[in-house]
Amino acid sequence: MLSNHIQNSMETARLVWSQLPNSEEGEFDEVGITKKNDLNGVESLDYEVIENYAYREEQETRGKLFASYQVSLKWFLALLIGVGTGLAAIFINISIENFAGWKFALTFAIIQKSYLAGLLIYVLFNLALVYSSVYIVTHFAPAAAGSGIPEIKGYLNGIDVHGILLFRTLFGKIFGSIGSVGGGLALGKEGPLVHIGACIASLLGQGGSTKYHLSSRWLQGFNSDRDRRDLVTCGCAAGVAAAFRAPVGGVLFALEEVTSWWRSQLMWRVFFTSAVVAVVVRTAMSWCKSGKCGHFGAGGFIIWDISELELQFPSVIILSILTFVCWFLTKPFCFYSGQEDYSFAELLPMAVIGVIGGLLGALFNQLTRYITYWRRNYLHKKGTRVKMIEVCLISVITSAISFGLPLLRKCSPCPASEVGCPNPPGMYGNYVNFYCRSDKEYNDLATIFFNTQDDAIRNLFSAKTIHEYSAQSLLTFLVMFYTLAVVTFGTAVPAGQFVPGIMIGSTYGRLVGMFVVNFYKKPNIEEGTYALLGAASFLGGSMRVTVSLCVIMVEISNNLKFLPLIMLVLLISKAVGDAFNDGLYEEQARLKGIPLLDSRPKYQMRRMTAKDGCRTRKVVSLPRVIKVSDAVSILRCNKHNGFPVIDHTRSGETLIIGLMLRSHFLVLLQSKVDFQHSSLPSDSRGGSFPIRHSNSEFIKPVSSTGLSLDDIHLSQDDLDMYIDLAPFLNPSPYIVPEDMSLTKVYNLFRQLGLRHLLVVPRPSRVLGLISRKDLIVESDDELDTELQSTSVRAQYRNGGSVSRSVDVEQPLINGVLVQNK
């Protein structure tokens, strides 16, 4: 019976899923949503090293000095990425905190005379900031809309969405985030900071922006997609580290959530970048505490100091080591005891928090998916003006709610133990005085609503503040802010979901904490602890991030005692959320038409072979020497980005000599320097190939469409000439037999970061067998571990006829090959 119910539930879920939009094909529109039936929005990346003749010639000319230069440049770029991302985060936070400070100071001064005038000023101030944000996005940087994490996750998965890493996108993310977050919308800046770090990394890797004349040729050492992938990974980790002052959490977030490929050398550079960010942010905050940054002091970064001793990052590392020593050695002389300040009976309400987080997180993902679908197919099709009106209308509603609801709440008397009670609106601290008759009263709903999000989170996380909030106020805030977060997410402004998720989770977590305090009657129980667990549970139930989120929550709380509790609620919330739908970023990527390859292949692929996977694909092969007119005709009639190149032996046997990329072919047609009058191979008379191109000429600019056939102008004389493809093709593409399991094929090209994979009949003979010991080569050059090791002197071309071609850029989804260009 149970199995039948489970099967029926799965069938129902599939039916509901089938009724959702099919967004596997689409183009990128003005706010980051793809339009159906157009594939010009996304393109696969070439993470594989194309070992053609030009590449091998270039590698032979490079010595150990150049290898040392490349390694040094990688570490220098990691340093610059950390510094740049840290400075960008400081600039954003200072701007947001100062705009918020001016807004609250002006509003508070006016409401002393008239609350209606104060409401008007408050709404107009927020509206001006939000309008600036949506104007920048819709008119200048369309790719800056949203959090950017689904697009960056797709980039590191092998999909390039045009425009996501350009300079104007970086500009739009920075200033758009200031306007949207400073304008009081129910969204955060942490997601956009990840995108900002990726943009900074990509721009530094290509030496800057040539379009805006901000470039340096000294930094132009890594232009390939493979090198950009490493730099963008460093940028993603730097963004998380800057957002939460959580360097270790940033490294783990890049490893767990965004990247699909990892290696030990990259780990060290990512860790170094995150450490640089932590130093930059700490230095800037120390400088701002002297009052040189306006309203920005300790604000802008979520740090919950639960003890009087503020732990620095090295202290956290030392404390972690000593904690584990205590756990394993159980010695009584450890200054930080492994005993926790909670009882076994409290685990049940903590588990309940995990369940609530999984349910609310899954509901949030489902609602945002439906609203995004409606926006994409109906609302945003009406033009840019409608998108701007939508955001401005949401801004007015949000401002009216955050200002008006506290007016309906009665004030409470300040506790006798709180010397600083009350505080004016918008200032750092709890117990905000808003619409109160007495100077010794505070408004608990205004303490959350009429405040910056970071300060509101500190108030919810704060310890020793039992009975500060009433259950009615927390429930009111939870319902209204949850609704605003669902409606706001997906609009045409930079929008992150970390901070709204923390606010939602900490609210219901504090509600559970209030129940536990009243039920157990223990003085050591803190409502703020349950608020922290609630924040972790909602993020785990919505984003489905576990390890990195656990470390981030520990780092922002500065308390390792919460580690087992956070792990508990994260495991429960993720398990509950997975029972209903996918994570937030996966759902948004699917709606945006970004064909992500999951870490695990679909179950039905186990019963399919490579031949079954490419059955619907028509392979277009090219001869080694091809007439230019024929090449133009083939490129115009086919949208494939990879073409197998075949040649014939004297006995008439067909051989696969390599794979020719469309982008490389277009470069040859545009340059025309390799055209020849003869239809014979260029090396038929002996000698080497004449190389007239450098390897950098074949590299596509980042986040751009690259060269197209319409950009090439050929005369009739050009069309009558020939071109030899042998020097420019990839002579050693990855090849699999036609009867290989589609599961193995899936794992192969995802783990290797491939774009194309040839499927051929099973070979008839074996030339040799390679084992582990054949791959262990002693070398005196330690730099070989950093650089791509390729053979530049020996090449063997294996025989075999072409059967079919699997294109990695057409990702395998549900056991079929989906076209994705």
Side-chain angles (χ1 to χ4, degrees):
M1 292 294 294
L2 180 60
S3 60
N4 292 335
H5 284 299
I6 295 176
Q7 185 175 3
N8 293 335
S9 301
M10 294 178 64
E11 293 297 332
T12 304
R14 292 193 186 98
L15 179 61
V16 174
W17 176 255
S18 64
Q19 296 174 354
L20 291 177
N22 181 10
S23 60
E24 292 167 352
E25 300 179 355
E27 85 171 359
F28 196 72
D29 76 350
E30 291 188 354
V31 292
I33 305 298
T34 55
K35 296 179 180 178
K36 198 173 180 180
N37 299 326
D38 198 328
L39 300 177
N40 294 327
V42 295
E43 183 178 349
S44 295
L45 297 167
D46 293 309
Y47 286 153
E48 181 185 1
V49 177
I50 308 301
E51 299 176 339
N52 53 27
Y53 194 83
Y55 174 81
R56 297 197 304 270
E57 287 290 327
E58 185 178 275
Q59 291 295 312
E60 285 185 342
T61 60
R62 295 177 175 178
K64 294 184 177 181
L65 182 60
F66 181 82
S68 303
Y69 167 75
Q70 277 202 316
V71 173
S72 303
L73 184 58
K74 286 182 179 180
W75 286 98
F76 182 65
L77 287 177
L79 174 65
L80 293 182
I81 292 170
V83 174
T85 307
L87 292 178
I90 289 294
F91 174 74
I92 292 174
N93 282 282
I94 289 178
S95 302
I96 292 174
E97 290 288 319
N98 278 281
F99 276 124
W102 298 331
K103 174 178 63 179
F104 287 122
L106 179 62
T107 304
F108 183 70
I110 294 177
I111 63 177
Q112 303 299 322
K113 301 178 180 179
S114 171
Y115 274 87
L116 182 60
L119 171 62
L120 182 62
I121 293 298
Y122 183 74
V123 171
L124 292 178
F125 202 110
N126 285 334
L127 183 61
L129 291 174
V130 172
Y131 181 81
S132 66
S133 176
V134 68
Y135 186 86
I136 291 174
V137 170
T138 54
H139 290 81
F140 183 70
S147 69
I149 293 181
E151 290 84 355
I152 299 302
K153 186 172 182 178
Y155 183 89
L156 296 177
N157 194 259
I159 300 296
D160 185 16
V161 181
H162 301 152
I164 62 172
L165 297 176
L166 300 180
F167 178 78
R168 67 170 181 267
T169 303
L170 173 63
F171 180 88
K173 275 290 182 183
I174 293 176
F175 290 95
S177 298
I178 294 173
S180 60
V181 179
L185 293 180
L187 44 83
K189 58 187 177 296
E190 282 68 24
L193 271 174
V194 176
H195 195 175
I196 289 171
C199 290
I200 292 175
S202 178
L203 290 171
L204 287 175
Q206 63 182 356
S209 175
T210 56
K211 180 179 180 180
Y212 299 99
H213 306 288
L214 299 172
S215 61
S216 172
R217 65 184 183 89
W218 299 103
L219 299 178
Q220 297 176 359
F222 305 101
N223 293 321
S224 67
D225 293 334
R226 187 184 185 92
D227 295 327
R228 291 196 194 110
R229 174 181 60 182
D230 294 351
L231 295 176
V232 169
T233 303
C234 293
C236 292
V240 176
F244 297 102
R245 284 171 58 191
V248 180
V251 175
L252 294 178
F253 182 84
L255 172 61
E256 178 185 8
E257 182 63 19
V258 295
T259 188
S260 302
W261 187 84
W262 200 261
R263 57 196 176 98
S264 59
Q265 291 86 359
L266 179 61
M267 168 74 81
W268 280 109
R269 282 197 295 273
V270 170
F271 185 79
F272 173 72
T273 304
S274 300
V276 172
V277 172
V279 173
V280 172
V281 171
R282 171 62 67 181
T283 303
M285 290 189 66
S286 300
W287 183 71
C288 287
K289 284 182 179 179
S290 60
K292 300 178 180 178
C293 301
H295 292 275
F296 181 83
F301 293 88
I302 307 170
I303 293 294
W304 180 26
D305 296 324
I306 48 83
S307 62
E308 296 181 358
L309 175 61
E310 182 180 4
L311 298 177
Q312 307 293 329
F313 176 67
S315 303
V316 174
I317 298 298
I318 297 174
L319 189 57
S320 303
I321 297 174
L322 292 175
T323 301
F324 285 111
V325 170
C326 292
W327 285 352
F328 288 106
L329 300 181
T330 62
K331 297 294 184 181
F333 51 78
C334 292
F335 75 91
Y336 178 71
S337 174
Q339 299 295 323
E340 308 298 342
D341 295 330
Y342 57 89
S343 62
F344 181 79
E346 293 181 61
L347 295 180
L348 179 59
M350 292 175 182
V352 171
I353 289 178
V355 175
I356 296 174
L359 294 175
L360 292 182
L363 179 62
F364 184 89
N365 295 354
Q366 198 76 9
L367 293 176
T368 53
R369 184 173 67 183
Y370 287 140
I371 293 178
T372 302
Y373 172 54
W374 174 75
R375 281 194 177 106
R376 169 195 170 192
N377 289 275
Y378 300 102
L379 185 62
H380 287 174
K381 283 187 175 181
K382 298 181 180 180
T384 302
R385 181 177 298 178
V386 174
K387 301 167 190 173
M388 299 179 66
I389 294 175
E390 177 199 16
V391 178
C392 292
L393 182 61
I394 293 175
S395 173
V396 173
I397 295 174
T398 303
S399 301
I401 290 176
S402 60
F403 190 98
L405 283 182
L407 297 177
L408 305 177
R409 179 66 184 167
K410 293 183 179 180
C411 294
S412 303
C414 291
S417 59
E418 293 295 334
V419 180
C421 179
N423 292 295
M427 300 302 175
Y428 179 75
N430 297 351
Y431 307 105
V432 172
N433 183 284
F434 183 76
Y435 199 62
C436 298
R437 297 181 180 179
S438 172
D439 294 336
K440 289 298 181 180
E441 293 181 339
Y442 73 98
N443 191 317
D444 59 346
L445 195 55
T447 303
I448 315 174
F449 255 129
F450 206 66
N451 218 330
T452 62
Q453 292 182 0
D454 291 343
D455 289 341
I457 291 174
R458 287 192 190 89
N459 298 339
L460 291 169
F461 281 179
S462 59
K464 310 300 181 183
T465 55
I466 297 179
H467 307 305
E468 177 184 359
Y469 303 98
S470 64
Q472 295 85 351
S473 296
L474 291 177
L475 189 59
T476 300
F477 176 80
L478 175 63
V479 174
M480 297 307 302
F481 194 83
Y482 189 94
T483 304
L484 291 174
V486 169
V487 174
T488 308
F489 189 79
T491 53
V493 292
Q497 190 49 37
F498 274 103
V499 167
I502 293 176
M503 292 190 68
I504 294 171
S506 58
T507 304
Y508 68 74
R510 188 144 188 140
L511 276 170
V512 175
M514 294 174 61
F515 169 79
V516 174
V517 169
N518 295 328
F519 184 81
Y520 288 105
K521 306 293 184 181
K522 293 183 178 181
N524 64 327
I525 298 178
E526 291 288 350
E527 296 176 2
T529 300
Y530 287 85
L532 176 69
L533 298 179
S537 68
F538 185 83
L539 293 178
S542 176
M543 301 179 183
R544 313 294 158 78
V545 186
T546 54
V547 179
S548 58
L549 182 58
C550 180
V551 174
I552 289 173
M553 299 305 292
V554 170
E555 287 187 281
I556 69 174
S557 66
N558 276 344
N559 194 340
L560 286 171
K561 293 188 293 184
F562 297 145
L563 180 61
L565 307 180
I566 296 174
M567 294 172 64
L568 173 66
V569 297
L570 282 176
L571 291 173
I572 295 176
S573 62
K574 185 181 186 302
V576 173
D578 286 338
F580 294 95
N581 49 36
D582 292 330
L584 178 65
Y585 299 137
E586 287 75 14
E587 295 283 2
Q588 293 299 315
R590 186 179 294 111
L591 286 174
K592 292 183 177 184
I594 303 175
L596 295 177
L597 294 181
D598 298 330
S599 58
R600 294 182 299 176
K602 301 298 181 180
Y603 179 80
Q604 53 267 36
M605 289 185 180
R606 299 179 181 180
R607 298 186 295 270
M608 301 176 66
T609 62
K611 184 177 180 180
D612 298 330
C614 61
R615 181 174 295 172
T616 59
R617 295 291 312 281
K618 179 182 178 182
V619 177
V620 179
S621 59
L622 304 175
R624 172 180 171 174
V625 181
I626 185 173
K627 193 174 183 179
V628 175
S629 58
D630 296 336
V632 172
S633 177
I634 291 175
L635 293 176
R636 194 175 300 277
C637 298
N638 298 274
K639 300 300 182 182
H640 305 311
N641 285 298
F643 301 91
V645 180
I646 61 175
D647 200 0
H648 299 278
T649 63
R650 295 180 180 179
S651 60
E653 182 183 3
T654 302
L655 297 178
I656 304 174
I657 63 173
L659 184 73
M660 189 69 190
L661 294 180
R662 182 187 188 93
S663 58
H664 291 193
F665 210 161
L666 293 175
V667 172
L668 299 179
L669 293 178
Q670 185 187 46
S671 65
K672 305 179 184 180
V673 297
D674 299 287
F675 291 177
Q676 60 186 35
H677 295 282
S678 173
S679 60
L680 297 177
S682 57
D683 63 340
S684 58
R685 297 183 180 180
S688 61
F689 294 106
I691 300 299
R692 305 179 182 92
H693 302 274
S694 63
N695 193 47
S696 59
E697 295 181 36
F698 297 100
I699 298 175
K700 181 178 74 72
V702 62
S703 295
S704 66
T705 57
L707 190 64
S708 66
L709 193 60
D710 297 332
D711 300 329
I712 302 174
H713 304 283
L714 299 172
S715 63
Q716 185 60 42
D717 294 337
D718 296 331
L719 295 175
D720 293 335
M721 301 187 72
Y722 296 85
I723 184 171
D724 187 1
L725 303 179
F728 312 103
L729 52 80
N730 182 5
S732 55
Y734 287 89
I735 299 176
V736 298
E738 60 181 348
D739 56 350
M740 176 182 282
S741 168
L742 197 59
T743 300
K744 295 179 67 175
V745 173
Y746 185 100
N747 293 328
L748 178 65
F749 66 68
R750 185 187 184 277
Q751 293 175 6
L752 295 180
L754 304 180
R755 186 177 185 180
H756 304 93
L757 194 61
L758 298 182
V759 180
V760 299
R762 180 164 291 279
S764 58
R765 60 193 179 117
V766 177
L767 296 180
L769 183 66
I770 295 179
S771 62
R772 180 184 297 269
K773 64 180 181 180
D774 300 315
L775 301 177
I776 300 177
V777 181
E778 296 182 0
S779 175
D780 295 332
D781 190 0
E782 297 295 335
L783 297 174
D784 290 344
T785 59
E786 274 289 315
L787 303 176
Q788 173 67 25
S789 58
T790 57
S791 174
V792 298
R793 294 181 176 85
Q795 177 186 5
Y796 181 83
R797 295 176 181 173
N798 193 7
S801 60
V802 175
S803 172
R804 284 174 172 82
S805 172
V806 177
D807 195 339
V808 173
E809 63 192 21
Q810 322 298 331
L812 294 166
I813 301 178
N814 294 330
V816 297
L817 238 49
V818 180
Q819 188 162 357
N820 161 28
K821 279 186 67 178

